[in-house]
Each structure stands twice: as structure tokens, then as C-alpha cells.
Amino acid sequence: MIHPTIKTSLDTSISYQEYRDLVNNLAESNETTGLVKSEALVNYTKLNARRMKRWDKTLKVTEEVKTKISEVKQNVTWLVITESWCGDAAHVIPVLNKLAELNNNIDLRLVFRDENEALMDMFLTNGGRAIAKLIMLNTDTGEVVNTFGPRPSEATSLVNNYKAEHGKLTPEFKEDLQVWYNKNKGQNIIEDVVGMLCELESTVCV
């Protein structure tokens, strides 16, 4: 049985195309999602609109991955918590969309963190409201079968190692992280998510 909080968020969720259109409109209007409306977050929203457009055009998925995704038989919903200003989300969500498009059994839906605090608080990362956060649900039962995020595994290691050495993330490191995303071209996200699907269905991993 689906958790009431998850159901409430799903009922108000939007598609990837609706999300892209919204972020583009916000960027053009000098606006942003979320409770905080600072100039910095508006600028991040503009940057992320360009990032997502680029990933939509350039992301490559191998034939091997396409085959594995096509073999998913269970109906799964990918409910993603995001905000338009989030840099990690701008890299992660276009990849999730590209994978979801490969199989009609995968339904990608998006909700905003600040409008869904109860949902966000069910899926904290080290006690924090980190996004983007993917909640993988069995569509038929509503059961949470896995989660992903806010970053892919390699980026998470980079962040954790830097925090351990320096105490916090600096603007310079955040720039370096964006360079990593650009160089990796979404492949680590793909690896992680395909691994989640492998846990769901052994046939995906054959």
C-alpha cells in the first residue's frame, strides 16, 4: 500500500517535459522555484535550463544499456524531488528521462522539495534535504524499492572525500564538480541506475 505522503506528492507531480517547460519559463522571467527567491538562485535556474537542453541533445546511451532497460518488466515509478536551481538535478534528471524513455514500464515524475517537505523528510541524506532525490516505486503496489541521489556514486565519493579533508565544500570545488559531470557525460548515473534495476530484476543484468 502506497504511503499517504508519497501518494499526495505523486498526485501533484509533473512530467519531465512539463518540468523542462517550467524551468525555461522561469529562466526567461528571472524567476526560480522554491521558497527562497534570491538573484543567485535565479541565475542558477537560468544556467540549469541551458544544462538540461544540452544534455537532452548530447547524452549517449549504449546499445547494451538500451537492451538492459528494455528488459525491465515491472512497472516502476521514478519520483524525483528537485528544484530548478539545483545544479546536481540539472545533470541527473535529463539522464533519468533518457533512460525512462527507453521503457514504457518506467514512469518519471517530478515534484519540488519546498512544496513537499513531508516527502523530503522521509528521504533525507545524512540528515539533510539533499536533492535531486530519486524514489523508485513499484507502481502496482506503491512500495519503495530503492532510492538514488542526490549525486551518482563517483561524485558522492568526491564530495565526501573533500568534506572529510576540508570540512565543507568551497566554490572552487563546486566548479570542479561541474567539470566532472561534463567529462563523465552521465555515464556514472546510468551505471548506478541500471544497477538499481538489476536488483529489481535479475534478467536486466544477464
Side-chain angles (χ1 to χ4, degrees):
M1 180 139 178
I2 189 167
H3 191 285
T5 297
I6 295 175
K7 184 180 186 309
T8 297
S9 294
L10 272 175
D11 288 344
T12 60
S13 66
I14 59 176
S15 69
Y16 180 71
Q17 189 57 57
E18 289 172 322
Y19 179 70
R20 289 282 284 106
D21 291 344
L22 175 61
V23 174
N24 285 338
N25 290 337
L26 289 169
E28 292 172 3
S29 306
N30 293 314
E31 295 287 346
T32 182
T33 63
L35 297 176
V36 178
K37 308 290 185 181
S38 70
E39 182 179 355
L41 294 185
V42 168
N43 288 334
Y44 286 136
T45 292
K46 293 179 180 180
L47 177 60
N48 289 340
R50 297 194 295 271
R51 280 176 175 152
M52 289 190 289
K53 181 180 179 179
R54 184 178 75 246
W55 284 128
D56 284 343
K57 289 184 176 181
T58 63
L59 182 69
K60 304 297 184 186
V61 180
T62 66
E63 291 303 317
E64 180 184 7
V65 167
K66 289 179 182 178
T67 299
K68 289 181 176 180
I69 296 291
S70 69
E71 291 174 351
V72 174
K73 299 294 190 292
Q74 290 191 40
N75 294 318
V76 291
T77 299
W78 289 352
L79 178 60
V80 181
I81 308 172
T82 184
E83 292 288 353
S84 67
W85 47 259
C86 177
D88 292 298
H91 293 291
V92 168
I93 295 174
V95 181
L96 297 178
N97 176 65
K98 194 72 74 170
L99 296 178
E101 286 181 335
L102 297 172
N103 191 319
N104 289 333
N105 294 333
I106 302 173
D107 185 19
L108 176 62
R109 307 296 300 175
L110 299 111
V111 294
F112 296 104
R113 184 189 69 174
D114 292 357
E115 296 174 8
N116 295 268
E117 291 185 352
L119 179 72
M120 183 74 260
D121 288 345
M122 290 173 63
F123 298 96
L124 301 176
T125 302
N126 299 322
R129 292 177 169 178
I131 51 175
K133 192 75 171 186
L134 162 63
I135 306 158
M136 183 184 287
L137 302 163
N138 180 313
T139 305
D140 300 323
T141 67
E143 175 192 5
V144 177
V145 293
N146 215 329
T147 62
F148 166 86
R151 302 178 181 95
S153 54
E154 291 178 23
T156 298
S157 294
L158 292 173
V159 168
N160 291 343
N161 291 340
Y162 194 89
K163 279 184 176 179
E165 184 174 350
H166 300 279
K168 64 178 182 179
L169 302 183
T170 62
E172 292 77 16
F173 174 82
K174 291 179 181 179
E175 288 183 13
D176 290 342
L177 186 61
Q178 300 309 313
V179 171
W180 177 88
Y181 273 115
N182 291 334
K183 287 183 175 179
N184 185 259
K185 301 183 186 302
Q187 297 310 301
N188 187 215
I189 301 166
I190 292 172
E191 292 165 10
D192 288 349
V193 174
V194 169
M196 290 168 58
L197 291 171
C198 281
E199 294 178 17
L200 211 64
E201 300 191 44
S202 57
T203 55
V204 175
C205 302
V206 174

